[in-house]
Amino acid sequence: MKTHKHILVAILLIAALPMTVFSQNEILGGRINGNFQMDAQYYRPDSLIGAKPVSEKMLMNSWTNIIYTSGNFNAGMRFETYLNPINGYDIKYKGSGIPYWHVDYKTGQFQITAGNIYEQFGSGMIFRTYEEHNLGLDNSLYGLRVKFRPHKSIDLKAIYGTQRYYWEKGPGIVRGIDADVFLNDLIPSFENSPLKINLGGSFVSKYEDNEQIYNKYKDSNHPNELLILPLNVGAGAGRINMIYKNFSLTGEYVRKVNDPNDKNGYIYKPGEAMLVSLSYNQRGFGAFIQAKRLDNMTFKSRRTGADKALDINYLPSITKQQTYSLASLYPYATLPNNEMGLQAQINYKIKRNTLLGGKYGVDLSLSGSIVNGIEKTPVPGEEIFETTNGTLGYTSSFFKPGKDNYYKDLILEIGHRFTKSYKLIFTYMYQGIDNFVVQGHGDYMKAHIFIADNSYRITTKQSIRFEAQAMFTEQEEGDWAYALVEYSVAPKWFFSVANMYNFGNPNPDQRLHYPLVAMAYNNGANRIQISYGRQRKGVVCVGGVCREMPASNGLTVSLTTNF
């Protein structure tokens, strides 16, 4: 009866939310929490930067999550409204509704979830459903998930459903199982070993109905020949995670059977992905190296999908995520079908009260990454490379990178506190990126970027921060400069003034300023931020997944709250 009462509460939450009383966040013995966010932009046309008029003048994205928890039971829903979607978000989001809900119950060794599910197997290279509002991305699985723990060392998961496609569901059915075993708990004699080992494995498949897709390239004498499409496409993965004292090693390998789709030109070559990381940490020193290889690993629940929706897997980036404005002007986006790279980083702290470290010590960080394409050899008998629709496409040596470089960087960061109140972080970054391959336009760009991040504490509550940045490049839009002044009164107030200046643009008429003023007010779990100014056309990326951001000029208001 208790279970029935909880389910009834969940239904009432979804159907009669406006009438629900959140007295002290408690209802019928359970607890309610959630959050709310609204982003609204008022647009002014600005022909100089390419900001086009917006008919509605103002656009808005907003959502709120409501979650009810009582013991081993929880249920949640999310209301979303896009009226209309902010520029840069897909217009397919236009509208309002409840695209997300779930109920979840734990009993003994089982946990059952129904509704929309966010889940990840291993690193995500074979399966990951998640939502990232900054990217306008939500590929949640609408269906069922079962978790089973037969032993304290063994975790099993199974999922079954279809994926969210804006306000609809994708056409493919996704099924998967995952197992994770902690050997130290499974083998008694291994329990106290300093070597800790986790093993894991996954299998995921998708089903799609047949459809008519013509083999238009393979044989021009038979232009109306239809491709024979696999209705079921499976992928398997194995992974290991080992920790020994200060060392940590993780690795995962994924193999996908033939999966002709829009992204790979409808070839039948199997896909492969590998990700290996090795790290070492001790007090004052850390080192990290990572290698990745991706070959034909686009995995969608719609074979004709050309955008970022309906991705079944997530392929992490091995380039460092940048937060400074000029360092993130030209970000790298993961190339699922053709990528081989390395990333390494060393962190070292020069001790305090030494000649080089001074009174407070010095933090040093040196990192670098390089990403090439994979080596490809056209299938024998195929004369025109990359027009191999309906064939195996190409062969590729697993350990041989291609000659073309898509991205590389070298980053040096030095952080030092000169006094109790003043700290400086200096960054130098060299960047090379093939913008035509990564973003679909532009040339190979080489840039030198210098950043000085100064922070000064005026009082225990007041602080001021000043950023000065410069980028020097002979390609794309030429040289840039950026300055920002930020004044904070903890814990409630924040003010900033910034300007980005494209002083080296080859076209003198495009040597423009991008000024931006902003303020924010925090009160407990509530925050409102208002900004006004120009926003350059560019790309915003999170974890190697990107969306284009058009130029804009106007007022932006963001409100967030948690309860």
Side-chain angles (χ1 to χ4, degrees), residues 21 27 119 213 244 307 376 407 468 489:
V21 178
I27 181 171
E119 182 57 84
I213 297 176
Y244 181 73
D307 57 16
K376 291 183 177 180
Y407 183 86
V489 182

Side-chain angles (χ1 to χ4, degrees), residues 41 87 174 385:
Q41 280 193 324
N87 281 350
V174 181
F385 187 44

Side-chain angles (χ1 to χ4, degrees), residues 382-456:
E382 299 298 331
E383 297 179 351
I384 306 174
F385 187 44
E386 292 187 350
T387 57
T388 49
N389 176 288
T391 74
L392 287 174
Y394 58 88
T395 61
S396 179
S397 175
F398 190 83
F399 294 104
K400 189 174 181 180
K403 296 180 180 178
D404 296 330
N405 175 253
Y406 297 155
Y407 183 86
K408 56 188 171 185
D409 65 28
L410 180 67
I411 305 168
L412 172 65
E413 291 183 0
I414 303 172
H416 180 57
R417 183 177 296 282
F418 288 87
T419 69
K420 191 174 181 180
S421 301
Y422 174 62
K423 182 178 181 180
L424 168 66
I425 300 174
F426 172 79
T427 302
Y428 165 74
M429 176 180 179
Y430 168 76
Q431 183 186 44
I433 181 170
D434 190 330
N435 283 314
F436 183 79
V437 172
V438 177
Q439 306 296 346
H441 53 80
D443 302 314
Y444 194 98
M445 189 194 77
K446 301 174 183 176
H448 299 272
I449 302 166
F450 301 87
I451 302 166
D453 184 345
N454 306 266
S455 56
Y456 182 76

Side-chain angles (χ1 to χ4, degrees), residues 131-396:
E131 65 90 15
E132 175 54 65
H133 286 297
N134 289 324
L135 298 176
L137 190 154
D138 186 347
N139 65 343
S140 62
L141 192 76
Y142 184 69
L144 293 170
R145 177 182 62 193
V146 178
K147 292 183 178 181
F148 176 48
R149 173 169 265 199
H151 184 267
K152 65 178 182 179
S153 62
I154 301 174
D155 288 300
L156 305 174
K157 303 176 196 171
I159 52 94
Y160 209 116
T162 57
Q163 289 184 278
R164 178 183 178 184
Y165 184 72
Y166 304 100
W167 294 105
E168 301 173 358
K169 301 292 183 296
I173 300 173
V174 181
R175 300 76 52 100
I177 56 173
D178 181 79
D180 194 76
V181 180
F182 184 43
L183 291 185
N184 296 76
D185 280 346
L186 184 66
I187 304 172
S189 61
F190 202 41
E191 187 175 7
N192 298 317
S193 170
L195 177 63
K196 311 295 182 187
I197 301 179
N198 263 87
L199 298 176
S202 311
F203 180 79
V204 176
S205 79
K206 67 165 181 175
Y207 168 82
E208 283 188 82
D209 288 336
N210 199 10
E211 54 192 318
Q212 292 189 345
I213 297 176
Y214 290 97
N215 186 0
K216 57 185 177 181
Y217 294 120
K218 185 179 179 182
D219 187 349
S220 59
N221 294 322
H222 302 85
N224 296 322
E225 182 181 6
L226 289 172
L227 293 175
I228 299 175
L229 300 171
L231 304 186
N232 293 279
V233 174
R239 61 183 183 270
I240 187 170
N241 181 13
M242 296 193 298
I243 299 175
Y244 181 73
K245 297 182 178 178
N246 300 97
F247 289 92
S248 175
L249 173 67
T250 63
E252 184 169 25
Y253 173 79
V254 183
R255 185 173 178 83
K256 177 169 65 85
V257 301
N258 65 92
D259 180 21
N261 57 65
D262 179 85
K263 288 288 190 178
N264 68 9
Y266 294 99
I267 64 172
Y268 286 71
K269 185 181 184 300
E272 290 181 300
M274 182 198 70
L275 183 66
V276 179
S277 303
L278 175 65
S279 64
Y280 174 83
N281 285 288
Q282 67 173 49
R283 187 173 182 180
F285 177 79
F288 166 82
I289 187 168
Q290 187 175 55
K292 185 175 75 168
R293 186 179 193 276
L294 303 177
D295 177 5
N296 194 23
M297 274 307 294
T298 295
F299 195 19
K300 289 177 171 291
S301 59
R302 171 180 282 167
R303 62 173 70 91
T304 56
D307 57 16
K308 60 180 178 290
L310 298 176
D311 280 339
I312 295 173
N313 60 346
Y314 165 74
L315 302 167
S317 171
I318 60 167
T319 59
K320 190 173 182 179
Q321 184 88 26
Q322 301 298 325
T323 55
Y324 291 109
S325 295
L326 296 188
S328 59
L329 272 188
Y330 297 94
Y332 182 76
T334 298
L335 301 172
N337 292 337
N338 180 20
E339 187 180 290
M340 192 165 180
L342 279 172
Q343 180 187 23
Q345 182 167 331
I346 296 174
N347 298 321
Y348 180 70
K349 184 177 182 65
I350 302 177
K351 293 181 179 179
R352 59 176 64 190
N353 298 318
T354 60
L355 179 63
L356 295 178
K359 185 176 179 180
Y360 297 97
V362 176
D363 295 312
L364 300 175
S365 175
L366 180 65
S367 65
S369 56
I370 182 168
V371 181
N372 279 26
I374 60 174
E375 180 266 345
K376 291 183 177 180
T377 302
V379 171
E382 299 298 331
E383 297 179 351
I384 306 174
F385 187 44
E386 292 187 350
T387 57
T388 49
N389 176 288
T391 74
L392 287 174
Y394 58 88
T395 61
S396 179

